[in-house]
Amino acid sequence: MTRRKRSRLSAAQKTEIWKRWKAGQTLHEIGRAFDKPHTTIHQFLLPSGGIRPATRRRSRLALTLAEREDISRGIARDHRFVR
């Protein structure tokens, strides 16, 4: 049995696939547009059931990179981080 090369999709291709899927194109039509087998398109759409997932956003409670750096510097200087 031969193994197939894993087909990776760029962010731009993924966006375009969702646009085409929403417009009603078939898996075969979308696959031909990207020169990919329809099974690749199916495997991309399958985890979400064909419904585009919401855009991921970082929680407002998560620390920013600058805050993490301040904490790291404070720990390195053996000081407590106080706001």
Side-chain angles (χ1 to χ4, degrees), residues 5-73:
K5 181 182 173 189
R6 188 172 184 106
S7 182
R8 304 226 186 253
L9 298 167
S10 70
Q13 287 176 321
K14 290 176 183 180
T15 300
E16 186 63 25
I17 288 171
W18 283 117
K19 284 181 187 175
R20 290 172 181 266
W21 181 248
K22 187 174 181 179
Q25 289 187 6
T26 67
L27 296 174
H28 290 278
E29 290 170 335
I30 298 169
R32 278 193 296 272
F34 292 100
D35 196 29
K36 306 268 187 204
H38 72 279
T39 53
T40 298
I41 308 304
H42 182 261
Q43 289 301 316
F44 171 71
L45 297 172
L46 183 66
S48 63
I51 300 170
R52 187 177 193 159
T55 304
R56 294 183 67 180
R57 283 173 260 177
R58 184 174 296 273
S59 168
R60 63 181 180 79
L61 302 175
L63 296 174
T64 64
L65 180 59
E67 291 170 330
R68 292 173 189 267
E69 288 174 350
D70 287 343
I71 293 169
S72 176
R73 288 185 192 114

Side-chain angles (χ1 to χ4, degrees), residues 68-82:
R68 292 173 189 267
E69 288 174 350
D70 287 343
I71 293 169
S72 176
R73 288 185 192 114
I75 291 171
R77 281 186 272 137
D78 198 27
H79 292 111
R80 209 164 46 141
F81 182 72
V82 179

